[in-house]
């Protein structure tokens, strides 16, 4: 049986999850895809850090060593920030690799360019994990768009914010305690600024905008507010009145084709569809022309939900490739 040569960029929460799932599901993937997978190398930044073992895998802090792997076909990317992730993925695509990313900061800015480059090179870009963690919003949206037009997207797109707001209300935790828990649980970024400032939800909304509308609004025109100013007293006071804080990202296409987007906290009552979305869960409501409104709910962050979305991308990409080979 042939073997796919792969590399993982980043071996933190998500990177380790990818490695774990690929190992645990090795036989199932081998059977369904007719191909084995071999993780040849893992890129990290700090070689001195003690971390989960991965026997027979090259650990390197030098991307050139990854690029030099002969017959490399798949690159999973789970590092942080725009640079050097974009550069690495461009190089991987130019080398003929399919790439699968969880990096929304990079992808919200460079997603269209990466996809154009991949089209020219005849490879695929998987980016399910960039938006809403384990919720299959990207593949669902692609499917819906085959027939429907999307008119509005509204949802909770940051698991950390929703987890903090839930813990403040249900456990009466302080903001800081709830944030520390979200870090320990692998929901919050190592630097949680983007989570609590609304920037993370904004970047995910821009990825959805590219897919649903083929464009983004001007970033400067989007009002972005986080949950950092919400106090425990406000959360508990709202709860006494039967209301809950939710961090809501929304984008609407107006009749003239322009896009209007906003990201920020809202107080919602029991009649609101986002009222019941608790903890790390995300929810995304898609308003469409023919199908009406579809809402997806599920874990928006965390090691295994996110990694499973990336392994799902891998199975889809390799599945497509083997279908083409069989058809030919
Ligand atoms: P993390 O735990 O902080 O891990 C990041 C990993 O990337 C670490 O192994 C780090 O190396 C490595 N790294 C960072 N910068 C690097 C560089 N310039 N060169 C080489 N290696 C580098 O982060 P994470 O939670 O796994 O998230 C990874 C990516 O997935 C991020 O883009 C994040 O936004 C996205 N994401 C995360 C989640 C989640 O629930 N955690 C969900 C969806 C998407 P060292 O270990 O040596 O420091
Ligand atoms: N830190 C992000 C969140 C991870 O809490 O939603 C998932 O993208």
């Amino acid at each position: 049986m042939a073997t796919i040569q792969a590399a993982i960029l980043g071996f933190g929460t998500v990177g380790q999850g990818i490695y774990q799932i690929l190992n645990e599901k090795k036989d199932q993937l081998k059977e369904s895809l007719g191909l084995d997978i071999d993780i040849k190398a893992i890129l990290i930044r700090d070689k001195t850090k003690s971390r989960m073992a991965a026997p027979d895998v090259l650990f390197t802090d030098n991307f050139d060593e990854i690029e030099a792997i002969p017959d490399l076909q798949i690159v999973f990317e789970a590092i942080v920030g725009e640079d050097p992730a974009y550069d690495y993925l461009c190089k991987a695509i130019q080398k003929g690799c399919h790439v699968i990313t969880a990096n929304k900061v990079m992808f919200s800015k460079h997603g269209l360019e990466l996809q154009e480059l991949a089209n020219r090179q005849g490879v695929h870009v998987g980016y399910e994990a960039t938006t809403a963690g384990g919720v299959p919003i990207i593949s669902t949206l692609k499917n819906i768009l085959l027939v429907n037009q999307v008119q509005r997207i509204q949802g909770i797109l940051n698991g950390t914010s929703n987890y903090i707001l839930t813990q403040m209300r249900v456990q009466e935790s302080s903001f800081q305690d709830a944030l520390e828990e979200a870090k320990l649980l692998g929901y919050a970024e190592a630097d949680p600024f983007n989570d609590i400032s609304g920037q993370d939800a904004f970047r995910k909304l821009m990825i959805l905008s590219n897919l649903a509308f083929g464009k983004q609004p001007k970033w400067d025109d989007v009002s972005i507010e986080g949950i950092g100013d919400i106090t425990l007293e406000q959360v508990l006071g709202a709860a006494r009145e039967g209301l809950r804080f939710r961090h809501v990202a929304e984008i609407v296409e107006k009749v003239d084709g322009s896009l209007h987007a906003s990201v920020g906290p809202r107080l919602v009552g029991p009649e609101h569809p986002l009222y019941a979305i608790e903890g790390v869960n995300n929810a995304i409501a898609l308003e469409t022309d023919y199908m009406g409104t579809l809402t997806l709910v599920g874990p928006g962050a965390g090691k295994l939900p996110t990694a499973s979305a990336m392994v799902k991308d891998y199975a889809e990409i390799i599945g497509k490739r083997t279908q083409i080979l069989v058809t030919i």
Side-chain angles (χ1 to χ4, degrees):
M1 183 180 283
T3 300
I4 298 277
Q5 313 293 334
I8 301 175
L9 313 185
F11 208 52
T13 305
V14 178
Q16 291 181 38
I18 299 167
Y19 183 79
Q20 178 182 335
I21 295 178
L22 285 174
N23 278 298
E24 287 175 2
K25 296 286 173 184
K26 197 172 177 60
D27 291 342
Q28 183 181 318
L29 289 167
K30 219 157 64 173
E31 194 177 329
S32 61
L33 301 174
L35 289 165
D36 204 355
I37 183 164
D38 186 11
I39 304 297
K40 302 295 287 181
I42 290 172
L43 184 77
I44 33 85
R45 193 174 29 189
D46 178 0
K47 281 175 96 171
T48 64
K49 220 186 232 181
S50 71
R51 59 180 88 240
M52 176 182 162
D56 304 322
V57 177
L58 168 75
F59 275 85
T60 177
D61 58 3
N62 180 359
F63 182 76
D64 294 347
E65 291 196 85
I66 307 252
E67 224 186 336
I69 297 170
D71 302 324
L72 188 68
Q73 285 164 282
I74 293 277
V75 172
F76 294 96
E77 187 260 316
I79 64 177
V80 180
E82 193 179 321
D83 299 313
Y86 176 56
D87 179 46
Y88 292 165
L89 291 194
C90 286
K91 286 179 174 157
I93 291 171
Q94 273 151 354
K95 184 180 159 65
C97 296
H98 305 291
V99 300
I100 296 167
T101 180
N103 184 338
K104 57 262 168 159
V105 170
M106 180 279 300
F107 202 75
S108 54
K109 190 146 175 213
H110 296 295
L112 292 181
E113 291 152 80
L114 274 183
Q115 288 173 94
E116 279 163 20
L117 182 62
N119 284 342
R120 289 200 295 276
Q121 293 295 120
V123 295
H124 295 281
V125 180
Y127 60 101
E128 187 73 77
T130 57
T131 307
V135 181
I137 182 63
I138 301 297
S139 46
T140 305
L141 194 42
K142 281 183 183 171
N143 191 294
I144 286 171
L145 289 167
L146 292 173
V147 175
N148 285 260
Q149 273 188 344
V150 171
Q151 292 147 338
R152 176 194 300 263
I153 302 172
Q154 188 194 58
I156 294 173
L157 293 177
N158 183 264
T160 299
S161 295
N162 206 51
Y163 181 81
I164 292 172
L165 293 173
T166 304
Q167 290 300 97
M168 287 169 80
R169 192 189 82 252
V170 177
Q171 304 292 340
E172 302 194 8
S173 306
S174 69
F175 184 98
Q176 203 51 42
D177 286 351
L179 173 58
E180 289 309 317
E181 273 179 49
K183 280 190 193 170
L184 284 175
L185 290 164
Y187 304 155
E189 311 287 316
D191 174 357
F193 171 79
N194 282 354
D195 289 310
I196 59 179
S197 65
Q199 283 294 328
D200 179 81
F202 165 68
R203 294 305 188 104
K204 291 164 176 167
L205 192 67
M206 294 302 101
I207 292 171
L208 294 179
S209 178
N210 268 345
L211 181 55
F213 307 114
K215 60 188 177 188
Q216 298 178 347
K218 263 177 72 187
W219 286 16
D220 285 347
D221 291 344
V222 182
S223 150
I224 306 169
E225 209 185 318
I227 61 162
D229 290 336
I230 300 175
T231 63
L232 182 57
E233 288 66 35
Q234 285 173 322
V235 170
L236 297 178
R240 280 193 293 276
E241 291 172 31
L243 301 171
R244 294 178 182 173
F245 278 98
R246 291 292 177 239
H247 188 254
V248 181
E250 179 164 19
I251 186 160
V252 184
E253 186 171 36
K254 301 252 179 89
V255 276
D256 63 2
S258 64
L259 296 173
H260 182 264
S262 65
V263 176
R266 290 191 198 171
L267 270 175
V268 300
E271 73 295 342
H272 195 282
L274 299 179
Y275 179 85
I277 310 304
E278 294 278 61
V280 71
N281 278 336
N282 282 186
I284 309 108
L286 304 168
E287 274 181 38
T288 70
D289 50 357
Y290 292 131
M291 207 186 56
T293 301
L294 174 80
T295 305
L296 272 70
V297 179
K303 176 181 173 179
L304 295 177
T306 307
S308 94
M310 297 183 81
V311 176
K312 187 270 292 178
D313 277 347
Y314 161 73
E316 272 180 10
I317 289 170
I318 296 303
K320 270 184 209 147
R321 178 186 163 283
T322 41
Q323 264 169 23
I324 291 166
L325 290 178
V326 169
T327 315
I328 289 166

